[in-house]
Amino acid sequence: MKKQRTITIIRNLRWGAVFVVLLLLATHVIPRALGQRGQQAVSKRPSQVEEPFELGGATWTITGSLNTARFLHTATVLPSGVVLVAGGLDNTFNATPSAELYDPASGSWTATGSLNTERYEHTATLLPDGKVLVAGGSDSSGNASPTAELYDPVSGTWTATGSLNTERTEHTATLLPNGMVLVAAGTDSTFTASATAELYDPASGTWTATGDLNTARNLHTATLLPNGMVLVAAGADTSQSASDSAELYDPTSGTWTITGNLNTARYGHAATLLSNGMVLVAGGFDDNGAASATAELYDPATGTWTTTGNLSTGRSGHTASLLSNEMTLVAGGFDTNGFALASAELYDPASGAWTVTGGLNNARARHTAVLLSNGMVLAAGGIDFPTINATAELYNAPAPSPTPTVTPTTTPSPTATPTPRATPRSRPTPHPRPTPPH
């Protein structure tokens, strides 16, 4: 009754039954990996290839490939500037314990010590002492883990640390100003959204429960605000419906306070702290399972959300990176039909508009993207069903700000109309991990 059974069936079947198993993957295993809650099948990508549009020299350049193809992994920029990639699902849809390092100077990846526990949909947090804390996630059977471990860049090894009080996956982890790490919400092995939260103390290596959220959620975002509070926004609730709620964690009192609701309920979105102190939330799946093109801004001073310009393409499972020119780069993700995107676009906080920029060389979703010390963005791994990417590429941001092509609006923007399909999408059902046949 676990995901591993699905994978075992694939390995033991004769070729005559491969099609049936691929359908099983598409309807049971893949939707969860996509961050979708329904059972819709993943169909073949259309034959037409999206032509990249280059803006002011903004291009993606292929760099060295990962040693292990993966998605749902983590990527962390170490103090040395080297990037640590850990865990994820590999090209057999098994959770991997492998980890590797990207050196921007050579553009190559080198294997480093493996995690003690295989995992995906975990979190990775750079601690003040330069070590990386990895917590929770799911194993190859789809079970949520309570384990945590530390990566030491000096020795290149992982050491087990105190276990979480609650097993969780699809959660968030935030480094607080006091050096503690706040882990919030997520789901357990029964796929039930959690409202619990806990704190990791690097000094003692232990976890302590803190105040519960007001709303249980998973596939949400958590953003550390300039005032030291943590904004948690949207996600899927206990019924696995998209939520529009948001709340603030106060590290001083250890409590959560409800703040203004988003204009659009969403999960699998991205959140970026802008240089002006506001938080940009963009994309995500709405409650009908459609990839949203809407974006909005949270103002910590008023506790309210205001709509801003719409993305050119609705997307979920994408990445968002704040560039050195103060623009936000959004790349890849899934469209409404579950296809991975190669497109990318830039948000200009001055105009509140999005502009299409150079497209990725490889379509990818549920990948990672990190800003390097040289100002470039490294995108690595991801899924473009049925391909699990081992490729990686670098984005070179344009020097001048692009001319806006979209006029921002101050009123709620309508959800982008999905592309018509032969088979209408049914409303997603609660608990997106159906039990595989046995």
Side-chain angles (χ1 to χ4, degrees):
M1 305 248 285
K2 297 174 182 176
K3 186 184 300 182
Q4 182 61 42
R5 294 190 182 180
T6 304
I7 299 170
T8 302
I9 291 171
I10 295 174
R11 293 171 174 165
N12 295 333
L13 277 179
R14 296 179 183 272
W15 283 107
V18 167
F19 175 79
V20 175
V21 178
L22 287 177
L23 181 61
L24 179 64
L25 269 174
T27 57
H28 291 73
V29 178
I30 302 302
R32 191 59 184 177
L34 300 175
Q36 291 173 307
R37 295 161 296 147
Q39 299 183 26
Q40 60 271 23
V42 177
S43 54
K44 186 178 180 181
R45 173 179 293 281
S47 57
Q48 53 266 47
V49 178
E50 183 180 6
E51 291 295 328
F53 173 78
E54 297 182 5
L55 173 65
T59 57
W60 292 88
T61 305
I62 293 291
T63 187
S65 290
L66 293 144
N67 295 286
T68 301
R70 64 184 84 215
F71 71 114
L72 295 172
H73 53 287
T74 55
T76 310
V77 181
L78 303 177
S80 63
V82 170
V83 179
L84 170 69
V85 157
L89 283 173
D90 63 19
N91 55 14
T92 66
F93 290 92
N94 276 309
T96 179
S98 72
E100 45 192 304
L101 298 168
Y102 177 78
D103 182 355
S106 64
S108 59
W109 297 85
T110 306
T112 188
S114 291
L115 293 147
N116 293 288
T117 302
E118 61 185 25
R119 62 185 85 222
Y120 66 97
E121 291 185 311
H122 51 287
T123 55
T125 310
L126 179 66
L127 302 179
D129 64 1
K131 293 183 178 181
V132 178
L133 171 70
V134 157
S138 300
D139 62 20
S140 291
S141 299
N143 291 321
S145 174
T147 65
E149 45 191 303
L150 294 167
Y151 177 76
D152 184 350
V154 177
S155 64
T157 58
W158 296 86
T159 305
T161 187
S163 290
L164 294 148
N165 294 288
T166 302
E167 62 178 23
R168 63 184 82 226
T169 186
E170 297 177 343
H171 54 289
T172 54
T174 309
L175 178 67
L176 302 178
N178 60 10
M180 309 270 282
V181 178
L182 170 70
V183 158
T187 62
D188 60 18
S189 293
T190 66
F191 320 131
T192 302
S194 173
T196 65
E198 46 192 303
L199 295 168
Y200 177 78
D201 183 354
S204 63
T206 58
W207 296 87
T208 305
T210 188
D212 286 353
L213 292 94
N214 293 281
T215 300
R217 63 185 85 220
N218 60 290
L219 294 170
H220 54 287
T221 55
T223 308
L224 178 67
L225 302 178
N227 61 9
M229 301 186 80
V230 178
L231 170 70
V232 158
D237 61 20
T238 51
S239 67
Q240 291 299 285
S241 296
S243 173
D244 63 358
S245 71
E247 46 192 303
L248 296 167
Y249 177 77
D250 183 348
T252 302
S253 63
T255 58
W256 296 87
T257 305
I258 294 173
T259 189
N261 285 352
L262 291 93
N263 294 283
T264 301
R266 62 185 85 219
Y267 64 96
H269 52 288
T272 309
L273 177 66
L274 304 180
S275 57
N276 60 11
M278 301 186 80
V279 178
L280 170 69
V281 158
F285 285 120
D286 65 21
D287 206 34
N288 293 313
S292 176
T294 64
E296 47 193 301
L297 295 167
Y298 177 78
D299 184 350
T302 61
T304 58
W305 296 86
T306 305
T307 57
T308 189
N310 282 354
L311 290 151
S312 302
T313 302
R315 62 186 79 220
S316 182
H318 51 289
T319 54
S321 308
L322 182 65
L323 306 179
S324 54
N325 62 7
E326 300 189 355
M327 302 185 78
T328 299
L329 170 70
V330 158
F334 298 107
D335 66 13
T336 293
N337 296 298
F339 296 132
L341 296 163
S343 65
E345 44 194 306
L346 293 167
Y347 178 78
D348 184 350
S351 65
W354 295 87
T355 306
V356 174
T357 188
L360 293 149
N361 292 279
N362 296 111
R364 61 185 83 227
R366 302 307 292 270
H367 54 292
T368 54
V370 292
L371 180 68
L372 304 179
S373 57
N374 60 11
M376 302 183 83
V377 174
L378 171 70
I383 184 172
D384 179 16
F385 186 79
T387 301
I388 310 303
N389 283 316
T391 62
E393 45 192 305
L394 296 165
Y395 179 79
N396 186 19
S401 298
T403 302
T405 57
V406 181
T407 302
T409 177
T410 56
T411 57
S413 303
T415 301
T417 303
T419 303
R421 293 161 303 173
T423 304
R425 175 184 293 273
S426 58
R427 181 180 177 83
T429 54
H431 304 297
R433 296 174 174 126
T435 302
H438 54 283

